[in-house]
Amino acid sequence: PDISVSVKRAAQLSESLAALKPKVLYVPLSELLRSGASVTPFWENGVTSVCAVLPKRYSAAEATGIFTDLKRLKELHVNEVMAESWNSLLPAGMMGFRLRCGLGLQVWNDWSLRVLRELGAVSAMLSPELSLGEIAKIAKCIDTELFAYGRLPLLTGEASLTADGEESDTLRDRKGRQHPVLSELGRSTLYSSDKLFLGDRLKDLRSLGVWCLHLSFTTENAGECTAAAERYLGMGSYVPNFKTKGLYYENETHSGLRLSPQKGSD
């Protein structure tokens, strides 16, 4: 599969990352409007599509400002939007943007993909709660992305968990693990302490039928973003300090009940 990448800050972008030619670059709408010049090397590589990511949650009052900002994207020649909720999917499509769907839409099966195709979506991120075996069996009527690297979002709260005036912070749990917190529109998203990492299992991902391996960068600096992307393209030896393979290799049902292995199975 090809790779796609998402960042939280324009400072994570670099010419070296652009030179790797990811299929799609996802940048938060507000960050894209604030630092439009940062994506120029990605336009110039002739391959990468730049896609604006809409906020996961917003109120009716905030929606007016968000969709006014969307109109400004046309001036930057950005014509793709990632929706993280059903609330933003249809309005963005009606404004003429190509629609890509993020984790917030919780795509579990081929029925979900069919509905999204009928609503105009061209790609969707599959739920990381699926196993690799389940992902391989899904009939993919639109392009699909596998969340293959990064911190998974654990929850988004209405209140800000960061210090006043700060867009990021860290919370420590009882076991001493550090969870990054990033804020947007006064709401905070708590992320996992470990990074999902499949860079050493690339052979397992080749037969899944997915279009792109998605690399999600949250707290990484520009150098780490490039090093991680290189690893997923078969170059370099980057490995994060704290990593997990998530549920992709877990023998669990979606209810969370663990299945006992069948007799004679590996």
Side-chain angles (χ1 to χ4, degrees):
D2 288 306
I3 64 168
S4 63
V5 301
S6 62
V7 297
K8 296 299 182 185
R9 296 169 286 107
Q12 294 172 296
L13 301 176
S14 64
E15 291 189 6
S16 57
L17 182 60
L20 298 178
K21 300 183 178 181
K23 279 291 183 180
V24 187
L25 169 66
Y26 296 100
V27 184
L29 171 61
S30 56
E31 194 72 5
L32 192 54
L33 292 174
R34 186 162 49 226
S35 308
S38 63
V39 301
T40 299
F42 294 86
W43 289 125
E44 294 175 342
N45 71 25
V47 173
T48 304
S49 298
V50 178
C51 181
V53 181
L54 298 181
K56 289 184 177 66
R57 300 173 69 172
Y58 52 85
S59 66
E62 292 164 336
T64 302
I66 289 171
F67 289 101
T68 298
D69 286 344
L70 272 180
K71 293 178 182 177
R72 294 174 55 200
L73 282 183
K74 301 289 185 180
E75 301 170 10
L76 299 176
H77 306 290
V78 176
N79 60 9
E80 295 188 359
V81 163
M82 173 183 267
E84 289 280 6
S85 70
W86 293 96
N87 290 337
S88 55
L89 188 66
L90 290 179
M94 292 173 66
M95 293 178 69
F97 289 95
R98 296 184 80 215
L99 300 174
R100 300 191 182 278
C101 303
L103 287 181
L105 276 79
Q106 300 183 18
V107 177
W108 289 76
N109 51 45
D110 43 346
W111 288 102
S112 302
L113 293 175
R114 291 178 192 176
V115 171
L116 291 174
R117 180 183 63 180
E118 291 174 4
L119 293 175
V122 297
S123 71
M125 192 95 62
L126 298 175
S127 171
E129 295 184 51
L130 294 166
S131 69
L132 292 185
E134 289 171 323
I135 289 171
K137 292 176 183 176
I138 292 176
K140 302 167 182 69
C141 59
I142 59 176
D143 289 337
T144 53
E145 298 184 64
L146 175 76
F147 193 103
Y149 171 87
R151 299 181 188 274
L152 285 165
L154 302 180
L155 63 88
T156 298
E158 285 297 317
S160 175
L161 299 176
T162 58
D164 290 343
E166 297 293 330
E167 294 184 352
S168 63
D169 211 330
T170 303
L171 292 182
R172 190 184 300 271
D173 64 19
R174 294 180 183 179
K175 295 183 179 180
R177 294 174 300 195
Q178 295 188 350
H179 297 263
V181 179
L182 302 180
S183 290
E184 185 178 25
L185 292 179
R187 298 172 183 83
S188 292
T189 299
L190 180 73
Y191 289 87
S192 59
S193 58
D194 298 337
K195 297 176 183 178
L196 194 148
F197 179 72
L198 301 177
D200 55 352
R201 297 292 184 95
L202 295 180
K203 289 182 180 179
D204 298 347
L205 312 181
R206 291 175 183 167
S207 59
L208 299 180
V210 297
W211 171 57
C212 275
L213 304 178
H214 182 74
L215 316 182
S216 174
F217 301 124
T218 49
T219 58
E220 291 85 352
N221 60 39
E224 289 174 316
C225 293
T226 300
E230 288 175 340
R231 180 65 190 268
Y232 279 80
L233 291 171
M235 305 180 285
S237 57
Y238 172 83
V239 178
N241 292 331
F242 302 98
K243 61 185 187 297
T244 176
K245 288 182 172 55
L247 298 178
Y248 290 135
Y249 291 90
E250 291 292 326
N251 191 18
E252 295 182 353
T253 65
H254 293 151
S255 63
L257 299 175
R258 185 172 295 279
L259 296 173
S260 343
Q262 294 182 356
K263 242 186 182 181
S265 64
D266 292 335

